Amino acid sequence: MKHSTAQIIREYGPFPGVDSVHGVTHDGQRVWFASGDKLNALDPASGKTLRSIDVAAHAGTAFDGQHLFQIAEDRIQKIDPQTGRVLSTIPAPGGGGDSGLAWAEGTLWVGEYRERKIHQVDPQTGAVLRTLESNRFVTGVTWVEGDLWHGTWESDESELRRVDPATGEVLESVQMPAGIGVSGLEFDGHDRFFCGGGNSGKVRAVRRPE
């Protein structure tokens, strides 16, 4: 297994009125982050929050190219980012113990925090298509060019892990500095991960390892 230390490129926040950052996603231009009762759009160049949507946003966030998906307690909401309207909901596989959320090739991938699992879910029905086991608490999940990555946060230790999407085997570990946790996780499609910082109220950009 490949090991490295995370290189934090930039920190955003804390933001006014935001106590905690949960899920994060990227729509090609903006970073969206969940802060409990809002989804917030962040310009990663300026560091400014551009707008917010009033919607329950307790855990992971994802973007399918058109819609936002947001975990709210025990359900996953599909949201129109233009209007902020919730278009539909499906049950979340962890029944309220869900953490990260990612979109890949037509399905949702959902972390289940304390159960140390990642579920592949049908976005229409919420049916669980398959489940991967981890040996650490699972926070954010994202895909990087066919590779599945997830965050872990246990005690004061956090890391980004690349895992085999068929078996869950850990292939690579990127260790975060002591005391810095990862809640949400998203790849920007180029060279950075955006990491939710939990109760620090921050979003951090981490360089993708070579």
Side-chain angles (χ1 to χ4, degrees), residues 12-122:
Y12 302 94
F15 305 93
V18 172
D19 297 325
S20 198
V21 173
H22 308 295
V24 290
T25 194
H26 189 265
D27 67 6
Q29 296 175 309
R30 295 157 298 189
V31 177
W32 290 86
F33 67 89
S35 60
D37 57 357
K38 283 185 171 64
L39 256 176
N40 310 276
L42 168 72
D43 176 7
S46 70
K48 291 196 168 87
T49 306
L50 304 174
R51 58 180 285 235
S52 297
I53 296 173
D54 288 323
V55 67
H58 303 125
T61 313
F63 182 69
D64 70 355
Q66 188 175 1
H67 299 103
L68 292 162
F69 290 84
Q70 177 60 52
I71 295 174
E73 294 178 343
D74 61 353
R75 61 196 188 279
I76 300 171
Q77 308 171 110
K78 182 179 182 178
I79 299 163
D80 182 334
Q82 306 304 322
T83 65
R85 281 185 53 229
V86 176
L87 304 175
S88 61
T89 64
I90 55 172
D98 309 270
S99 51
L101 189 63
W103 174 271
E105 295 173 355
T107 60
L108 290 166
W109 294 76
V110 189
E112 191 176 357
Y113 180 62
R114 289 191 176 274
E115 295 299 316
R116 300 181 167 98
K117 290 176 179 171
I118 299 171
H119 305 283
Q120 184 185 15
V121 169
D122 182 319

Side-chain angles (χ1 to χ4, degrees), residues 130-206:
R130 80 174 131 148
T131 297
L132 299 175
E133 305 276 346
S134 176
N135 61 358
R136 301 282 286 173
F137 289 163
V138 173
T139 57
V141 288
T142 191
W143 282 82
V144 181
E145 293 160 6
D147 290 326
L148 178 60
W149 286 74
H150 74 84
T152 72
W153 191 349
E154 212 157 328
S155 303
D156 279 336
E157 294 187 0
S158 218
E159 60 185 304
L160 310 181
R161 287 178 156 193
R162 177 167 62 91
V163 299
D164 184 320
T167 65
E169 179 192 353
V170 182
L171 305 174
E172 182 172 355
S173 166
V174 180
Q175 193 75 35
M176 295 294 281
I180 291 184
V182 174
S183 49
L185 180 66
E186 175 72 311
F187 182 58
D188 76 340
H190 300 287
D191 57 2
R192 290 175 296 179
F193 290 103
F194 288 105
C195 303
N199 53 12
S200 70
K202 294 182 177 181
V203 175
R204 297 179 176 94
V206 171

